[in-house]
């Protein structure tokens, strides 16, 4: 997508959102005016029905009917809960499932909570098997039982298989809507076969060639089908050397393969060599976006994706875990400072310079952490390269410590006219930058080693360690060289 197209798309979505908000505002304004009228309750109710439902809500319903499910999902996420539920009630029932798939997990939870068992069943029934698997964790068990019973045997097995894979595996990304052909037929036969479809599955750039037992043989790109003579056999054009995925492969590895080889789709083959599904670029893009959002939240110490219009209580709970950890580390840092009270009393300037030492190291460590997390996500770091990276980051921090430590030391000398204080400042900056580099590298690597997301709380832990370490190093050096 070009920059201009992206700009226009954003403008369009924002324009739709503003139109919906304007209609909702008019609806609420008229409702308020009607309820202020002094008239019998029954008459007032009829007036509300006449004025509201036949005008603004009808106009809003017509507006929603023209929008793509993804745009409606965006609008729902951007509205406070009361307005969100008004819009949700106006969405046509046959579009509920498509929209539930598009909205964020947190908003989906608020929508599902308002739906009856029958409504949820009807919404889910509209979806493909792989989409039902995506929605399954948020649906009541009773609804899922109804859905299982309603599916044909083949789709039921597909759904059971899709739900058996963890979210970060290829099996969770794959879909089952694909076109398979045999290699012992001509291109003319394949063309006639394709013309029987009302439309091809989304992102069909190649046909998957299998034998009679569904063992994967290769792919036939559509462009080859179109430009070659109809009398040719598929076997003469099939590409055997192609990127294949396994259901248990990590989704991150699949994303890297799609990026590296510019794939639109890729076959998923089990341990017996049978074709079980495919992964398409749209599923990979969704996965990458969700992973990026999760990493961003984890770095900030948030436990899960948050509905920005959720209740104060629920949002507060989402932020408690790392705030509690932060409080503990802050108390620890305060005890570090408290242990040097005599030093600070004798040299008050230290209190004004401490935050500089801690802050610059925290920032430098965050730079290291960001680079390491990105490299881990791309699979670029191995055990063999980790030591080389540590040496490199220490060298970078050492150089930065010498340069910016000297600047900070000169700054301290200019303010307080003390050469020893300037030297302590420069030394503390150098040592704390080295500490920041070590922590910024070790924390993400340790998280991955223990099977955790490297981004989880890395920023919080880094800040805690560089703050406490910075105070200890700076005040310790000051105690040795300025007081004694």
């Amino acid at each position: 997508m070009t920059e201009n197209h992206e700009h226009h798309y954003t403008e369009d979505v924002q324009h739709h959102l503003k139109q919906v908000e304007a209609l909702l505002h008019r609806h609420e304004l008229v409702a308020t005016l009607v309820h202020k009228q002094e008239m019998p309750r029954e008459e007032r109710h009829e007036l509300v029905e006449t004025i509201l439902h036949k005008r603004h809500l009808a106009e809003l319903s017509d507006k929603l009917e023209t929008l793509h499910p993804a745009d409606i999902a965006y609008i729902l996420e951007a509205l406070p809960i009361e307005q969100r539920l008004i819009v949700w009630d106006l969405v046509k029932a046959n579009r509920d499932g498509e929209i539930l798939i598009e909205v964020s997990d947190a908003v989906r939870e608020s929508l599902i909570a308002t739906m009856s068992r029958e409504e949820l069943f009807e919404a889910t029934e509209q979806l493909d098997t792989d989409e039902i698997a995506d929605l399954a964790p948020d649906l009541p068990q009773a609804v899922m039982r109804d859905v299982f019973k309603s599916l044909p045997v083949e789709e039921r097995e597909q759904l059971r298989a899709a739900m058996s894979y963890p979210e970060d595996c290829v099996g969770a990304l794959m879909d089952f809507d694909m076109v398979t052909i045999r290699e012992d037929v001509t291109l003319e036969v394949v063309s006639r076969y394709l013309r029987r479809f009302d439309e091809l599955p989304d992102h069909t750039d190649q046909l998957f060639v299998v034998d009679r037992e569904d063992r994967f043989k290769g792919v036939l790109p559509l462009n080859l089908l179109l430009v070659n003579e109809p009398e040719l056999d598929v076997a003469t054009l099939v590409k055997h050397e192609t990127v294949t995925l396994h259901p248990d492969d990590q989704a991150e590895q699949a994303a890297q393969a799609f990026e590296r080889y510019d794939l639109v789709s890729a076959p998923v083959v089990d341990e017996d060599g049978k074709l079980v599904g495919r992964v398409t670029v749209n599923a990979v893009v969704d996965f990458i976006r969700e992973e990026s959002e999760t990493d961003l939240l984890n770095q900030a110490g948030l436990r899960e994706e948050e509905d920005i219009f959720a209740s104060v209580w629920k949002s507060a709970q989402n932020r408690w875990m790392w705030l509690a950890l932060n409080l503990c580390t802050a108390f620890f840092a305060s005890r570090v400072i408290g242990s040097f009270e005599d030093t600070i009393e004798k040299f008050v300037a230290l209190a004004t310079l401490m935050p500089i030492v801690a802050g610059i190291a925290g920032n430098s460590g965050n730079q290291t952490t960001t680079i390491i997390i990105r490299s881990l996500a791309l699979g670029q770091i191995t055990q063999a390269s980790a030591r080389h990276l540590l040496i490199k980051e220490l060298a970078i921090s050492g150089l930065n410590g010498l340069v910016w430590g000297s600047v900070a030391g000169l700054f301290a000398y200019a303010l307080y006219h003390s050469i020893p204080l300037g030297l302590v400042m420069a030394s503390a900056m150098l040592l704390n930058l080295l500490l920041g580099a070590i922590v910024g590298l070790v924390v993400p690597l340790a998280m991955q080693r223990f099977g955790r997301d490297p981004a989880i709380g890395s920023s919080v832990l880094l800040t805690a360690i560089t703050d406490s370490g910075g105070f200890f190093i700076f005040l310790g050096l000051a105690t040795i060289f300025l007081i004694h």
Side-chain angles (χ1 to χ4, degrees):
M1 183 181 287
T2 65
E3 218 171 275
N4 286 336
H5 287 164
E6 194 169 307
H7 177 65
H8 292 322
Y9 166 75
T10 306
E11 279 187 344
D12 287 344
V13 176
Q14 289 294 326
H15 179 64
H16 296 323
L17 174 59
K18 288 176 181 176
Q19 285 182 318
V20 169
E21 286 178 328
L23 289 169
L24 286 168
H25 176 69
R26 286 182 221 157
H27 163 71
E28 291 168 358
L29 183 61
V30 174
T32 302
L33 290 173
V34 169
H35 284 290
K36 286 182 178 179
Q37 299 300 314
E38 294 183 2
M39 61 180 69
R41 183 172 181 178
E42 188 175 329
E43 291 182 21
R44 186 167 60 191
H45 178 73
E46 290 178 4
L47 183 58
V48 169
E49 288 292 317
T50 302
I51 295 178
L52 298 183
H53 289 278
K54 289 188 179 179
R55 291 191 58 189
H56 299 140
L57 292 187
E59 190 177 343
L60 181 54
S61 180
D62 292 341
K63 173 66 182 175
L64 294 171
E65 188 66 21
T66 66
L67 298 181
H68 189 279
D71 291 340
I72 297 177
Y74 175 86
I75 289 169
L76 289 169
E77 291 172 357
L79 292 175
I81 291 179
E82 297 79 8
Q83 294 183 337
R84 178 187 300 161
L85 296 181
I86 292 173
V87 171
W88 183 237
D89 286 339
L90 294 174
V91 172
K92 299 294 183 185
N94 61 358
R95 307 181 76 196
D96 285 355
E98 295 174 318
I99 297 168
L100 285 174
I101 285 293
E102 295 288 348
V103 294
S104 65
D105 292 345
V107 172
R108 183 187 301 150
E109 185 180 326
S110 72
L111 299 178
I112 287 177
T114 68
M115 300 175 70
S116 67
R117 177 173 172 176
E118 292 74 21
E119 288 173 330
L120 286 171
F121 173 74
E122 289 174 9
T124 308
E125 199 178 27
Q126 307 159 13
L127 303 174
D128 294 332
T129 310
D130 55 298
E131 293 174 328
I132 297 174
D134 291 338
L135 204 56
D138 300 311
L139 294 175
Q141 289 187 355
V143 174
M144 284 307 300
R145 281 197 297 270
D146 292 342
V147 171
F148 262 109
K149 291 176 184 176
S150 69
L151 292 175
V153 175
E154 183 181 359
E155 291 184 19
R156 196 179 304 172
E157 291 305 314
Q158 290 176 347
L159 178 56
R160 188 174 284 110
M163 291 175 61
S164 68
Y165 296 107
E167 288 185 3
D168 59 351
C169 283
V170 165
L173 298 184
M174 70 178 177
D175 71 62
F176 307 97
D177 192 12
M178 56 189 172
V179 181
T180 60
I181 58 174
R182 303 274 167 75
E183 60 182 346
D184 57 353
V185 298
T186 65
L187 300 187
E188 172 62 27
V189 172
V190 173
S191 297
R192 286 204 308 270
Y193 172 60
L194 295 181
R195 285 194 289 272
R196 291 168 54 188
F197 287 84
D198 293 329
E199 61 179 356
L200 292 177
D202 291 339
H203 303 94
T204 297
D205 64 318
Q206 56 190 0
L207 309 179
F208 301 114
V209 182
V210 296
D211 63 15
R212 295 185 181 279
E213 296 179 352
D214 285 331
R215 281 192 290 265
F216 179 71
K217 294 297 183 180
V219 298
L220 175 65
L222 282 182
N223 62 335
L224 294 184
L225 172 66
L226 295 173
V227 301
N228 280 281
E229 295 298 326
E231 296 80 15
L232 285 177
D233 286 340
V234 169
T236 62
L237 297 174
V238 63
K239 291 184 174 295
H240 298 286
E241 298 298 324
T242 186
V243 175
T244 58
L245 304 173
H246 188 276
D248 292 321
D249 288 344
Q250 290 295 304
E252 284 185 5
Q253 296 174 348
Q256 292 165 19
F258 269 73
E259 180 185 12
R260 187 177 303 119
Y261 303 115
D262 296 325
L263 301 178
V264 175
S265 67
V268 181
V269 180
D270 67 13
E271 59 276 2
D272 297 323
K274 292 186 176 182
L275 181 69
V276 292
R278 65 169 186 158
V279 174
T280 55
V281 66
N282 62 322
V284 171
V285 170
D286 287 343
F287 170 79
I288 293 172
R289 176 182 55 79
E290 289 169 6
E291 283 294 293
S292 299
E293 291 173 355
T294 300
D295 287 346
L296 188 63
L297 294 171
N298 286 339
Q299 285 183 21
L302 292 169
R303 292 189 305 172
E304 60 187 20
E305 184 181 18
E306 186 178 302
D307 178 359
I308 59 173
F309 296 109
S311 67
V312 172
W313 176 250
K314 189 167 185 178
S315 295
Q317 285 180 305
N318 187 35
R319 308 179 192 192
W320 277 354
M321 184 176 70
W322 289 100
L323 287 177
L325 178 61
N326 247 351
L327 185 61
C328 295
T329 57
F331 271 118
F332 179 75
S334 73
R335 296 318 307 145
V336 170
I337 295 172
S339 63
F340 291 98
E341 283 180 357
D342 293 340
T343 302
I344 295 174
E345 285 179 5
K346 293 175 183 176
F347 218 109
V348 179
L350 298 174
T352 64
L353 297 174
M354 282 191 303
I356 300 175
V357 176
I360 201 77
N363 183 52
S364 176
N366 264 323
Q367 293 172 342
T368 299
T369 299
T370 301
I371 291 171
I372 297 303
I373 290 174
R374 177 183 176 276
S375 300
L376 286 171
L378 295 175
Q380 296 174 337
I381 298 180
T382 63
Q383 288 184 345
S385 62
R387 182 178 177 183
H388 175 76
L389 274 174
L390 178 60
I391 295 172
K392 179 196 169 186
E393 289 301 322
L394 286 174
I396 293 171
S397 296
L399 178 60
N400 284 334
L402 289 172
V403 173
W404 299 107
S406 300
V407 171
L410 290 173
F411 178 73
Y413 171 73
L415 284 177
Y416 301 103
H417 308 290
S418 170
I419 292 177
L421 177 60
L423 291 173
V424 166
M425 185 73 178
S427 301
M429 187 83 79
L430 171 62
L431 293 174
N432 206 26
L433 279 171
L434 292 173
L435 175 63
I438 294 172
V439 174
L441 181 70
V442 169
V443 167
L445 289 176
M447 286 288 189
Q448 189 191 52
R449 185 71 178 269
F450 290 112
R452 304 295 299 277
D453 186 339
I456 293 179
S458 56
S459 179
V460 178
L461 290 173
L462 177 69
T463 301
I465 295 172
T466 52
D467 280 358
S468 301
F471 295 151
F472 180 80
I473 292 169
F474 182 53
L475 295 175
L477 290 175
T479 302
I480 295 171
F481 295 106
L482 298 182
I483 306 304
H484 293 160

